[in-house]
Each structure stands twice: as C-alpha cells, then as structure tokens.
C-alpha cells in the first residue's frame, strides 16, 4: 500500500511530468486557455495514458521481450498510443462534438505527446508489474491533468486582470508556467 501512496504523491506533485520533467508542454500551453477545455483534454490524456500503460506493459512482456524484439519498443508503443488516441477522438466526435472542436489539433497531438510515451517507457524501465504500471500511468496522467487545470484557472483569472499589454497571451502563460514549475519543485522532499 505504501508503494501506491508514494506513486500517487510522487507523480502528482514530486515527479510531475509537466512541472518537474517538462514533458507535454505543447498541449499544456495550448489547451490551458479555458478550464472546460483543459478538463476535457485532461480526461482524454488520463484515459489514453492509463490504457496505454496497461497495453504497452502487456506488449513488452508477452510480445517484444520473449521474441527478442526489444529494439521495436518505441515503434510498438507509438502504434498502441495512436490506436488509443483514434478511439478517443472518434468517441469525442460522437459524444461531445463541442469538446472535440475545442480541443482541435491538440487531440490528435496526444499521439505524439511525449508524456504518453515517456510514461509507457518509464513503466518498463522502472520494472513495475502490470498493476503498478497501470497505476503509475493513471497517477502520471492525473498529475498532467492537475498541472493543466491549475494553469487554466490561472490563465482565466489573468484574462480578467489589468496586465501590461506585453504580458497578455503567451508571455503571461510562460511566466505563469515557470512560476508553477518552481513551486512544484518545493514538493521535492515530500517522499
């Protein structure tokens, strides 16, 4: 139980892939203008990363390693991730077309989002079993979602603020993201 609690706290705060390892910055900055869009992207990424962690562990353990095909790991994982993203994209198009339109180009970019691939590869490298790899994927995705939602809340607030013209838009978002990253570094001694 302590392992899972450490994973949860670790991937949410201490080793957050966006704030501490700087993976997934493109959707982090691109989709964080509105809270609703950030929440939708966070849910989509959570689904993809969790399921990708499960499937890629199975692919690595039962297909790549037994047949000596470890060198195909990256290609195999990207194929799994691409299929999962296509499923999410089609589901969102049918279930919530407005969210599908709001996410725009960032939804297909989940396929190339380095967070998804980094989590899948790190699960194998860290030697997790199937349950730990899946839980790690879920916690990592929740950490990504937390970062995304925090930035979206701050950016919505900044839009209503009286700020210098040069700081509106991307400069303000980058400064805010930098300050958030510094604050997340404060969780370093937590676990």
């Amino acid at each position: 139980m302590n392992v899972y609690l450490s994973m949860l706290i670790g991937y949410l705060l201490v080793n957050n892939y966006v704030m501490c390892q700087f993976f997934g910055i493109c959707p982090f900055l691109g989709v964080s203008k509105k809270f609703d869009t950030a929440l939708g992207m966070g849910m989509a990424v959570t689904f993809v990363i969790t399921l990708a962690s499960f499937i890629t562990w199975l692919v690595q353990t039962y297909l790549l390693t037994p047949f000596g095909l470890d060198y195909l790991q990256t290609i195999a994982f990207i194929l799994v991730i691409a299929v999962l993203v296509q499923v999410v994209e089609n589901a969102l198009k049918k279930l919530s077309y407005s969210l599908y339109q709001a996410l725009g180009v960032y939804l297909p970019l989940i396929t190339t989002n380095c967070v998804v691939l980094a989590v899948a590869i790190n699960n194998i490298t860290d030697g997790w079993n199937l349950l730990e790899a899946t839980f790690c994927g879920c916690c990592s995705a929740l950490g990504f979602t937390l970062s995304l939602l925090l930035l979206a809340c701050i950016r919505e607030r900044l839009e209503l603020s009286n700020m210098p013209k040069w700081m509106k838009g991307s400069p303000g978002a980058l400064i805010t993201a930098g300050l958030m990253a510094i604050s997340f570094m404060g969780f370093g001694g937590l676990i």
Side-chain angles (χ1 to χ4, degrees), residues 56 59-60 64 69-82 111-114 116-118 120-122 124-125:
T56 55
V59 167
Q60 180 71 37
L64 298 178
L69 301 172
D70 293 326
Y71 61 91
L72 294 175
Q73 181 187 61
T74 304
I75 294 170
F77 287 8
I78 288 173
L79 287 172
V80 167
I81 292 164
T111 303
T112 58
N113 187 345
C114 52
V116 184
L117 186 59
I121 291 174
N122 284 344
I124 302 303
T125 306

Side-chain angles (χ1 to χ4, degrees), residues 32-97:
S32 61
K33 292 178 183 168
K34 298 208 180 288
F35 182 82
D36 295 339
T37 309
L39 181 62
M41 176 59 104
M43 290 188 308
V45 168
T46 300
F47 175 78
V48 169
I49 290 179
T50 304
L51 204 53
S53 295
F54 179 80
I55 294 172
T56 55
W57 189 92
L58 293 174
V59 167
Q60 180 71 37
T61 304
Y62 296 112
L63 184 65
L64 298 178
T65 301
F67 294 108
L69 301 172
D70 293 326
Y71 61 91
L72 294 175
Q73 181 187 61
T74 304
I75 294 170
F77 287 8
I78 288 173
L79 287 172
V80 167
I81 292 164
V83 168
L84 291 173
V85 169
Q86 198 61 41
V87 168
V88 169
E89 189 173 358
N90 288 335
L92 280 178
K93 194 184 291 186
K94 298 257 189 251
L95 300 173
S96 178
Y97 192 73

